[in-house]
Amino acid sequence: MEVYSEVAMPVVDFVFFDAGGGHRASAAALCEAIQRHKYPWQVRMVNLQELLDPIDIIRRVTGVRIQDVYNQILKRGLTLGSSQLLKILLAAIRLYHDKEVGILKAHWSKSRPDLVVSVIPHFNRALQESLSLAVPGTPFVTILTDIADYPPHFWMEPQEQRFICGSDKAVQQAYAMNISAEFIHRSSGMIIHPRFYEPITADRRCERQRLGLDPELPTGLVMFGGQGSRYMIDIAERLNIAKLQIQLIFICGRNQKLADQLRQYRSRFPQFIEGFTMEIPYYMHLADFFIGKPGPGSISEALAMNLPVIVQENAWTLPQERYNAQWIREKQVGFVVNTFRDIAAAVVNMLRPDQFSRLKANAASLNNRAVFEIPDILNDIMTAAAVCSTPSSISNLPG
C-alpha cells in the first residue's frame, strides 16, 4: 500500500523553459509516462521563464524573452563563442539570485507542491533554496537532460537535493561534487517520448513511395532540433555533389524559410521535406541513418529507433553538447565529423555493410528505458519523504 494512498492526491511540479525544445519535451514525455503508469498524482507544468519575466533584463529592454534570443541563435547557427556567452549568462543568473529566490519562494508558498522536478539547467540553486524556504522538507529533484554536466553551475550544484543521471559520466560528476550516493539515481539514458517505443506497422516501402521516395535507396533523416539549421542546406548540397546513391528526409521544425529553400533546391536524389511535426518516430521508421547536431534528445531518439548517427563537433557546437560527441564515439553508434564538408565520406563509410550492421547492433544494445524508469524513481522519492514526515515515523526513531 502506498504511504499517501489515503491522503490528498500528491502534487508534482515539473519546472521547464523553452530555451531549445528539449526541456519542455522531456517534461511532456514524463507526464505521458506518469499517466500510463497510472500514478495518482496531480502533475503541473511550471514555466520558469514566465515566473521570472519580471527580472528578465533582455525582455525589459527589447521586449524579447531571453529564451527566444537563445532560440534565434540556434536557428541562425550563431553558436560560435557560445562558451563565452554562457559565462555571461551564468554571471547574470548569479547576480539576480536573491531576486530569483524571492519570486520562487512566493510561488512555492502559494502552490505547495509535494515534489518539484527540474528538467532545466542554471537555476537549480535558486529552485532548491526557494523551495526549502517556502516548503521545508519537500523533495527537489533535477533530471539531467544532457548526457553529462558542463560544470560549474550548469546542472549540478553542491546542495542537498536529488539528481537523476542518464550516464556513468554524469554519475561520476555527481560523486566528484561530494553529493551523497543516496541522492544520485541512475537511469538508462535520456528521456524520450513513449511514442518512440510503440510498434510502427506502416510498410516502409509503401510509405517511402507515398512520400515520393525510392523504396530501395538508403535513406537518411536530417534534423537539427525544433528550429532547424542552415547546415541542412550545406548537407543537401554536399551529398548532391558527391552523387551518392541515397535519399534524404529533412525535418525543418518551425523554420519555414529553411523548408522553402530545401523544396526549391534541385536535387539529384529523391528528398522529402517536412516542417514541424509530432511524427518523428514515423519518419525515423522510414530512415536508415540520422544526420544532425549532437543534441541529447535527437540522438537518443535516433538510437532508440536503431539509427546510427552522424553529427558534427567543432567550435560552433554548444559547449554542453560536446561530450555527446565523445559519447557517440565511445558507444560506437555513429560518426563524428569536424565539419559537414566531410559528410559524404562519413555516409559512404557508415553504409559499408559490415560497418552499418555493427553500428545498428551497438545502437540496439543501449536499451534506453529512462522515460519509464524515472516515474518509479520519483515515486520512491516521494514515498520516502511521506514516510519521514508522518508522526509514526518520528516516534519510531531510535532513542
Side-chain angles (χ1 to χ4, degrees):
M1 179 182 293
E2 301 291 354
V3 171
Y4 42 74
S5 61
E6 297 181 359
V7 298
M9 183 180 292
V11 175
V12 180
D13 283 354
F14 282 98
V15 182
F16 74 99
F17 49 40
D18 287 316
H23 308 292
R24 179 189 284 270
S26 294
L30 282 173
C31 288
E32 174 68 22
I34 288 167
Q35 185 176 11
R36 295 187 185 196
H37 275 65
K38 300 189 185 303
Y39 278 125
W41 305 342
Q42 179 187 350
V43 178
R44 303 183 299 201
M45 298 275 279
V46 179
N47 189 329
L48 186 70
Q49 174 71 60
E50 293 178 356
L51 290 179
L52 298 183
D53 268 347
I55 55 173
D56 185 336
I57 303 173
I58 293 179
R59 181 173 182 265
R60 198 180 306 168
V61 174
T62 67
V64 180
R65 287 172 160 177
I66 190 169
Q67 66 182 24
D68 298 325
V69 172
Y70 177 82
N71 290 333
Q72 283 299 313
I73 288 173
L74 295 183
K75 187 174 182 178
R76 299 173 186 275
L78 304 176
T79 52
L80 183 64
S82 52
S83 296
Q84 287 69 36
L85 289 173
L86 178 59
K87 291 178 182 178
I88 295 171
L89 173 63
L90 290 176
I93 291 171
R94 266 15 207 187
L95 180 65
Y96 281 80
H97 175 76
D98 290 343
K99 291 183 178 180
E100 294 157 9
V101 170
I103 291 172
L104 293 169
K105 179 185 175 185
H107 172 77
W108 303 132
S109 296
K110 283 184 180 179
S111 62
R112 311 295 294 182
D114 296 289
L115 173 69
V116 174
V117 181
S118 165
V119 292
I120 61 171
H122 308 320
F123 293 92
N124 289 302
R125 179 183 166 213
L127 287 166
Q128 190 275 342
E129 187 175 320
S130 61
L131 183 64
S132 64
L133 289 171
V135 197
T138 300
F140 175 57
V141 182
T142 295
I143 304 173
L144 279 69
T145 62
D146 283 308
I147 296 176
D149 194 11
Y150 183 72
H153 310 305
F154 200 91
W155 281 103
M156 299 184 193
E157 299 279 1
Q159 57 194 20
E160 189 167 318
Q161 67 149 109
R162 294 179 182 271
F163 297 92
I164 299 178
C165 305
S167 71
D168 291 338
K169 174 72 171 180
V171 170
Q172 293 164 6
Q173 291 173 314
Y175 279 126
M177 205 172 285
N178 294 320
I179 294 168
S180 173
E182 65 181 301
F183 289 158
I184 304 171
H185 306 268
R186 175 72 155 92
S187 67
S188 57
M190 297 291 98
I191 298 166
I192 61 176
H193 199 277
R195 70 173 68 96
F196 284 90
Y197 301 92
E198 296 171 353
I200 300 176
T201 58
D203 182 89
R204 293 212 319 163
R205 288 176 53 85
C206 292
E207 291 302 304
R208 283 180 177 181
Q209 286 181 312
R210 189 176 67 83
L211 299 182
L213 301 174
D214 188 311
E216 301 293 344
L217 281 181
T219 305
L221 184 138
V222 186
M223 184 172 72
F224 283 73
Q227 305 300 323
S229 170
R230 61 180 177 80
Y231 285 125
M232 296 170 72
I233 300 288
D234 190 36
I235 289 166
E237 291 176 344
R238 293 191 178 278
L239 290 177
N240 195 42
I241 291 170
K243 300 181 181 180
L244 302 185
Q245 294 299 305
I246 64 168
Q247 59 193 354
L248 297 176
I249 298 170
F250 295 92
I251 307 296
C252 301
R254 294 180 173 85
N255 195 331
Q256 186 59 49
K257 181 180 178 181
L258 172 65
D260 292 340
Q261 287 176 314
L262 284 167
R263 289 189 180 103
Q264 294 166 9
Y265 180 70
R266 293 183 177 274
S267 174
R268 297 174 184 269
F269 52 74
Q271 60 181 20
F272 178 80
I273 293 91
E274 179 64 281
F276 178 78
T277 176
M278 300 296 289
E279 300 302 322
I280 301 300
Y282 163 76
Y283 290 112
M284 287 189 171
H285 172 69
L286 303 185
D288 298 298
F289 60 95
F290 170 90
I291 302 173
K293 75 186 187 77
S298 296
I299 60 177
S300 295
E301 290 169 356
L303 294 172
M305 301 292 290
N306 292 341
L307 302 185
V309 302
I310 301 175
V311 301
Q312 173 181 267
E313 183 207 10
N314 55 29
W316 279 265
T317 304
L318 293 172
Q320 68 269 25
E321 294 183 350
R322 290 172 188 169
Y323 174 77
N324 301 350
Q326 179 182 332
W327 181 87
I328 288 168
R329 294 188 188 99
E330 291 173 354
K331 299 298 182 182
Q332 298 184 47
V333 291
F335 293 114
V336 179
V337 296
N338 179 255
T339 168
F340 280 123
R341 288 193 292 268
D342 300 327
I343 186 62
V347 170
V348 169
N349 191 14
M350 171 175 282
L351 292 180
R352 284 174 22 220
D354 58 334
Q355 183 85 278
F356 189 67
S357 296
R358 182 179 65 85
L359 295 173
K360 280 183 70 70
N362 291 342
S365 70
L366 294 177
N367 194 29
N368 170 21
R369 307 287 295 179
V371 73
F372 304 114
E373 298 161 352
I374 289 174
D376 291 335
I377 295 172
L378 298 179
N379 182 60
D380 291 343
I381 291 170
M382 201 156 36
T383 300
V387 169
C388 291
S389 66
T390 58
S392 59
S393 66
I394 296 173
S395 63
N396 290 332
L397 290 174

